[in-house]
Amino acid sequence: MAIKDYLRQRFFPHMWCPGCGHGTVLNSLLRAVEELGIEKNDIVMTSGIGCSARISGYVDFHSLHSLHGRALAFATGVKLSQPKLKLLVPMGDGDALAIGGNHFIHAARRNIDITAIVMNNKIYGMTGGQYSPLSGVGKKATTAPYLTIDNDFDVVELAKAAGATFVARTTTFHATEATDFLKKAIMHKGFSVVEILSQCPTHYGRKNKEGDAPQMVANYDKITARLGSKKLEENPALIGRGIFVDRQAPEYCEEYDKIIEYAMKGRK
Amino acid sequence: MAIKDYLRQRFFPHMWCPGCGHGTVLNSLLRAVEELGIEKNDIVMTSGIGCSARISGYVDFHSLHSLHGRALAFATGVKLSQPKLKLLVPMGDGDALAIGGNHFIHAARRNIDITAIVMNNKIYGMTGGQYSPLSGVGKKATTAPYLTIDNDFDVVELAKAAGATFVARTTTFHATEATDFLKKAIMHKGFSVVEILSQCPTHYGRKNKEGDAPQMVANYDKITARLGSKKLEENPALIGRGIFVDRQAPEYCEEYDKIIEYAMKGRK
Amino acid sequence: MRTRIVFSGSGGQGVITAAILLAEAAVMYEGLNATQSQSYGAAARGGATRSDIIISDFEIDFPLVSQPNILVCLTQHAYNTYGAIVRPGGTVITDTRFVDIGKKVDARQIELPIYENVMEQIGKPIVFNVAVLGALLGIEPVLQKESVFKVIADRVPEDFIEMNQKAFEIGYKLGSEKMAEIMGR
Amino acid sequence: MRTRIVFSGSGGQGVITAAILLAEAAVMYEGLNATQSQSYGAAARGGATRSDIIISDFEIDFPLVSQPNILVCLTQHAYNTYGAIVRPGGTVITDTRFVDIGKKVDARQIELPIYENVMEQIGKPIVFNVAVLGALLGIEPVLQKESVFKVIADRVPEDFIEMNQKAFEIGYKLGSEKMAEIMGR
Amino acid sequence: MAKKKLKELVINRDWCKGCGICVAFCPKKVLELDKEDKSVAVRPQDCICCKLCEIRCPDLAIEVVIEPDKEK
Amino acid sequence: MAKKKLKELVINRDWCKGCGICVAFCPKKVLELDKEDKSVAVRPQDCICCKLCEIRCPDLAIEVVIEPDKEK
Amino acid sequence: MEKSIKFIQGNEACVEGALYAGVEFFAGYPITPSTEIAECLSQRLPERGGKFIQMEDEIASMCAIIGASLTGKKVMTATSGPGFSLKQEAIGYACMAEIPCVIANVQRGGPSTGNPTHVSQGDLNQARWGTHGDHNIIALTASNHQDIFSITVDAFNLAETYRTPVILLFDEAIGHLREKLVLPDEGELPIVGRLRTSVGKGVDYRPYLPREDGRLPMSDFGAEHRYNVTGLFHDMWGFPSNNPQVVSDLLRHLMDKIDNNVHSITRYKEHYMDGAEYVLISYGSSARSAIHMAKNRRMKGEKIGVLELQSLWPFPQHLIREKCSKAKAVIVVEMNSGQLMYHVKAAVDDPGKVFLSNRIDGKLITPADIKGLLRIIQGRGV
Amino acid sequence: MEKSIKFIQGNEACVEGALYAGVEFFAGYPITPSTEIAECLSQRLPERGGKFIQMEDEIASMCAIIGASLTGKKVMTATSGPGFSLKQEAIGYACMAEIPCVIANVQRGGPSTGNPTHVSQGDLNQARWGTHGDHNIIALTASNHQDIFSITVDAFNLAETYRTPVILLFDEAIGHLREKLVLPDEGELPIVGRLRTSVGKGVDYRPYLPREDGRLPMSDFGAEHRYNVTGLFHDMWGFPSNNPQVVSDLLRHLMDKIDNNVHSITRYKEHYMDGAEYVLISYGSSARSAIHMAKNRRMKGEKIGVLELQSLWPFPQHLIREKCSKAKAVIVVEMNSGQLMYHVKAAVDDPGKVFLSNRIDGKLITPADIKGLLRIIQGRGV
Ligand SMILES: Cc1ncc(C[n+]2csc(CCOP(=O)(O)OP(=O)(O)O)c2C)c(N)n1
Ligand SMILES: Cc1ncc(C[n+]2csc(CCOP(=O)(O)OP(=O)(O)O)c2C)c(N)n1
Ligand code: SF4
Ligand code: SF4
Ligand code: SF4
Ligand code: SF4
Ligand code: SF4
Ligand code: SF4
Ligand SMILES: [Mg+2]
Ligand SMILES: [Mg+2]
């Protein structure tokens, strides 16, 4: 199937700004789904609220555009009640880790078979450029006229500590890599997290003088390095890209099925 | 000052069950405050809701018995608006890490100068023995008649990943150690976390056949080992006790003061 | 027929379980209506416990008991708090180990050494509450004792049924003998 | 006096800023009342933008404009959408680069090559909106141009003031010349 | 692996928003923005069919169509 | 360090809930629960003033009072 | 054969009703005095292949049941005041996206943490207005276990019928009371199942286009039809729109589908209402005291009746107006500061004849409390 | 000297009012259409030594301002529908613990995510009943920037006077509208400061024992008096109690401190009300349309006036009854399904004369909309 067949083409051109990285994430994700050859009817995409969250309206899957920060909680309900479905949950950085931080760590803890995609533009895009828990120190934002003093989360570390069994990071520059990681994440049994650095030229870029979209994308190549690469070894201050965690552990829905099996036996 | 002088004695005997570890945490904490010689008026204790949370009613500090899970959010308001105060925030495991998980990681991320104490009895005591995100797999609880399948958080790992700059763990068996860690945590500039394993004989103990309070307390000695000890080296499955993180990093209120300084200069 | 009973004591004594057993027996094995409710203190733990039971042939609307026909007090605190609410002419049952009857109330006051007997003959305080239930039925035959036995069989793990029955009988004996004594006079 | 103006165009054109500058100048430097409001699309980005301005000696209650005296359209989409709402006898201002005037409306339709001139003489599209403002005042002198200059001075970073003033003058010249032309006839 | 041959660079002008990402990262400088700020293939003959433009386009506006013969 | 000498083991019977923690962990078996389930010092002479009972008591019901002379 | 009589708590009667109605999924977070509902379902659901999950908080619980409902399951959650407040945002989502689900709120004393182990009926208005924005809701209650059972079944039925969240507004006194429940046989009470679309594969399914009869057939996530669900105003396919017509049509639909059916949704019972001169209006556990008192007074020859409401929202304005039209006085009996009373006053012909017999101290209102007020109304002093 | 005239958005006028009133602490989470309040304060507060913090969500924001208020600071937060729903639990806490604080809700279309960039007045009842349990609240609004400024000052004053959360219920249209604000000079508007206890060191301070005048002096965290703050029912020292007398006394106090002062709290404006036969009741941005239309009709000789409410809660029942007593018809003009209208109907002598002129499609109601309804009422057709 062509990648366009996974789109709800009637809503194109989409609402994202010119050069918004979220479109590239959509692009990479659809390639992953296409290459895996998953049936559209087997996928539920759940999103929250934000520019990023609008992604669920553009894909021809079952789509649940939910509440800001709560996508993983909705997804947990969908998945547990119908484990045969594949759950894709793209989220903005604010969505996933500001208001949604608790659902993020709890979904990870349970190791429920959901793929969380953090579309990290380090800013609240939808509401016009306020700082997020991933902005980091010293950034300009509409609510940080004097520059931010808030430390940022390391999404990878947090996901790992919370119990995620697959954790990867890449960027919109590394679109092929993104597709690759997304494929692995989707096929992984358990809670998987893929963080994708995704430029917001309109707010983050403009305010922080990071140039236009192509410049921001190019920058992702400069500031990151593949895990295990010489580049990273030589400059550990760079942001690591790659698969940080990939381990097998009991998956929540499967464990629950065992409870049912036991309880139903108890009954008869 | 005698340790009793830090108590609101008129509410004693307290409401905790016979042998409840939360009383020992109170005991250790008051010793820490007493040994540090902090003025009662300089301390604000903020707690949420739970058996653990009742601790704030028993201490003769400024006390804010707030909402389930929200103690750190209230504390953040108190601290930021009046940084000279010492903020002690004891929380139950559910309080801190179920409903309160997001405030926990965000307070850690900001590195705001608050001392969080997780009174971890691995159960929701107040509501009668439901499992918590710290119960771990294979435990009995009123909402887990077929035993739990939920993985537990590692509080230390989570606090570390989220950005806490002081993280320690001990138990009610190790009361002197607890006092020691609490002293260090309170004196630490930045967000500090002390997890104290604290027995709930009434619910957790009874349901999981862990015996009476003395047995549960004795068990803490068996299942834990000091970081760096031979015991832990020989048996890494034991739960580590000790100070896991102790580092200096910019503290939130101090950083904010710099913003004010800058902004007020800008004004004049 | 409408019997209003209040059980009172402290958290660990199984007061509420006893109340439930009694009311459940009435409903499940005697075709009666019954309600059981309890009050909780601020402290969920250790505080005073009270359970109200109404047993009736008819529908029970308001389920609380203001003046019980039968009042059971298993701690001094419970006796002091609730002693006065018993209906004139009603019955107050106390255990000699836990309650000193101070000021008398206008009711039949029956003190029994239930706890002592349970500890002597069984040695497990856990069945004290069932013995109290036995005593109550020994004194006031509000239900058939078989009904209670059936409920015990429904609710109690197999291994413990016998012990509970025995406890019940201990109380029942104490109660009925005391009644015989009182009636005899 | 009550002037009702609608600015319309697309997100990046600075339509709203131009509207604010105008209304602010009226309030801050001419002692008039003014309101400025804007509508947002579903998509915060790139969509059609519209801003309504009312300038008046009196209090302004209802702040939206249903039939503007002056309508500025900076995209074809805006023209197609809003062209028809202009008051009969009002003025429609469009930029030749962006708008092809199709069906005529019952109003003075003024097409000006503002964008072209700005790009030629300054080369920065960012000041296009201010040039449009200049054109508007060149056509309809709803305010003194000094008032707008003052607001620009208040709002724009020092280094850019001159460029903005220049852009304004470009527009103003186009506008007033066109008016002279029209009036001359 | 046989070298791929371009059949067509399909650019959806309705979807393209002219962000310039494809232009900036095309290794062969095949693409440019026209004056309406839409991407166009100005040097299609240089295209090596790497698809970097296609996979990075945030608007899913480019498709690199490869000669079918060569693909088999 | 001079050995500490016990002056008094103050047990607040109103606060003690008879959990038995002090009893279980006293290294010298100084304490026992009486029949009202309150902790009592049955062998005060054996007390080594380690205060383990005091610091672990969940009810803050024990105070180990040490002879002041010895402390100085 | 299972015994058909049970002696259980009100919360357990609710569970029995939910199971009878076919609940398949529960997500919750413990809170007094509702916890027994969760506890009991954690045991009972897996026995029949259903799922129970304890979420990290009440917000997540509410979201999870919405997600589960979209896969075609009958779902519920249970909570009390503080948790009910937290669920409000997602309850509004369920209203907007028209997701069938049942939310039990076993009320305790509020505001805030309040009086957790004591009875209150203080969330009445919150059940209606707790979430932001215009919307509509169904809220039901009951005063005894038999009715708790059947009203719970009703709640699931109405949720499916109207594609809407339904609130079960119980209270601590009834939730914790133990009394008899006679389990109806299978088939004895009607059960409304999920109405699934009959639209076939490849045919345009419009999840938000009401049928002739007003109902909106659903399609399970995972089934043939892929559509969009959103909390934004949306068109008939579920896609966001802020077109004014679409917005007002949808909002009006959300209001009307419930208001226009107030008659079919209204549930109530009459006790001794024949020629009643004094009408007591009550609901939940306070209705028991009202009935008790009316029964007593009737035996003494006084014409007192009780109108017991089992549906609180949509508010049965016409019913109340009609039933009170001949009353000398109307006494609203409730355990709050007069929340229902306000609406009763607005419904009757003469608000001056409406009185409030209430209790706000955490104690169950007693027949004596009501009798005291009645004496005053009758001019007989205290 | 700073210029005393500004041309700004309504949200910024609110910020100016808050600064004038002495706000020292803001915690919030961005949400359209309230975000400018946060953005503006993030700039302005540090300039005067105040603090701004962007929290992880709205719940945390509400909790943080309560914490800050306890240190003696004047505090506020700002949000819109979804965030307002999330704040409800903590708003109830502030009611119960009697914490002065100001919550601005700049309303957008609901329910749920609704219509984020469009106007609505749908949170009116939620402002009153959004949190669980009986409680009371003050909610204010305004229709132009000068009034937004002064009502915001009022909000802080009332919060301090009554030790209560005060809701500012603005709407998108007024929040985003730009118009003139003339900044009052210092001292021009009265400012109510934090009332601190005069009780000295060592003397028993009872934070929850009202003074003769009904006010409850506070003591800052960090100052001499250590007391307890809780969301449980509590005694006069702030310690938990479920004693029935304590419970009912406290609840009654919470209700009465506001209801008994409805007269002092009520804020309204009359426009062309002299002998008005048709009374338009409105508030917020819809009042502008009502005024516009009344002005026009008056010029044409029709007797139409506008009663503009600036305080919505406590509901000014008597005011409305009085102002409408002589009206032929009363038209409530609002942008929701008739939330205020319901209360107006309950307040007037004849509910039959109350009509609703509303709009629920996200568009600002227009004078023409109201005129249309008026024609119908007057029997003049459409
Ligand atoms: C409960 C709630 N709070 C706040 C908002 C407003 N809001 C919408 S999106 C958003 C943040 C968007 O940032 P992010 O999640 O990083 O996504 P992005 O737009 O950057 O892709 C916020 C604060 C909301 N819709 N709901
Ligand atoms: C919003 C909200 N949800 C739920 C509750 C009910 N509740 C009170 S305490 C508690 C959990 C207690 O467990 P924990 O935090 O571990 O403390 P513990 O009692 O074990 O010390 C719960 C669920 C509540 N009070 N508020
Ligand atoms: S605002 Fe930023 S995140 Fe949102 S669509 Fe535009 S570029 Fe993307
Ligand atoms: S229930 Fe458990 S946690 Fe609560 S007081 Fe009792 S022992 Fe402690
Ligand atoms: S990357 Fe896509 S949207 Fe951007 S210029 Fe190229 S074709 Fe157009
Ligand atoms: S396929 Fe490669 S070479 Fe060809 S146009 Fe695209 S980026 Fe350039
Ligand atoms: S530890 Fe404390 S409470 Fe427990 S028995 Fe000893 S003295 Fe009593
Ligand atoms: S001080 Fe040490 S030795 Fe003495 S009683 Fe206490 S635990 Fe035993
Ligand atoms: Mg973002
Ligand atoms: Mg716990």
Side-chain angles (χ1 to χ4, degrees), chain A residues 68 98-99 130-131 142-143 146, chain H residues 29 35 39 42-43 54 56:
Chain A
H68 187 42
I99 192 168
Q130 301 75 31
Y131 63 96
T142 59
T143 44
Y146 308 105
Chain H
Y29 189 78
T35 308
E39 290 175 340
S42 73
Q43 170 94 40
Q54 188 174 297
E56 51 272 27

Side-chain angles (χ1 to χ4, degrees), chain F residues 6 9 22-23 25-31 41 43-44 46-54 56 62 64:
Chain F
L6 181 71
L9 261 165
C22 57
V23 175
F25 298 109
C26 171
K28 295 291 162 187
K29 307 276 165 233
V30 173
L31 303 160
R43 278 171 289 275
D46 293 353
C47 173
I48 54 169
C49 300
C50 66
K51 290 200 173 188
L52 287 178
C53 50
E54 179 179 323
R56 284 211 194 95
I62 300 194
V64 181

Side-chain angles (χ1 to χ4, degrees), chain G residues 114-185:
Chain G
N115 203 357
T117 54
H118 289 73
V119 71
S120 160
Q121 295 172 325
D123 304 347
L124 179 88
N125 277 328
Q126 188 197 23
R128 177 68 186 87
W129 295 112
T131 195
H132 61 280
D134 270 321
H135 62 284
N136 216 334
I137 205 97
I138 297 175
L140 310 174
T141 187
S143 69
N144 65 57
H145 290 16
Q146 208 60 47
D147 290 352
I148 286 182
F149 182 98
S150 53
I151 212 78
T152 300
V153 174
D154 262 342
F156 281 89
N157 290 348
L158 292 171
E160 294 295 336
T161 305
Y162 296 104
R163 269 189 73 169
T164 184
V166 175
I167 314 289
L168 284 168
L169 213 52
F170 299 137
D171 59 55
E172 189 276 337
I174 194 75
H176 280 161
L177 181 74
R178 280 190 182 77
E179 69 180 357
K180 180 163 71 180
L181 170 71
V182 184
L183 281 180
D185 290 333

Side-chain angles (χ1 to χ4, degrees), chain G residues 249-263:
Chain G
D249 284 356
L250 177 53
L251 188 55
R252 216 161 263 146
H253 159 72
L254 295 177
M255 303 300 285
D256 288 353
K257 72 175 179 180
I258 290 175
D259 284 341
N260 290 353
N261 289 297
V262 56
H263 201 72

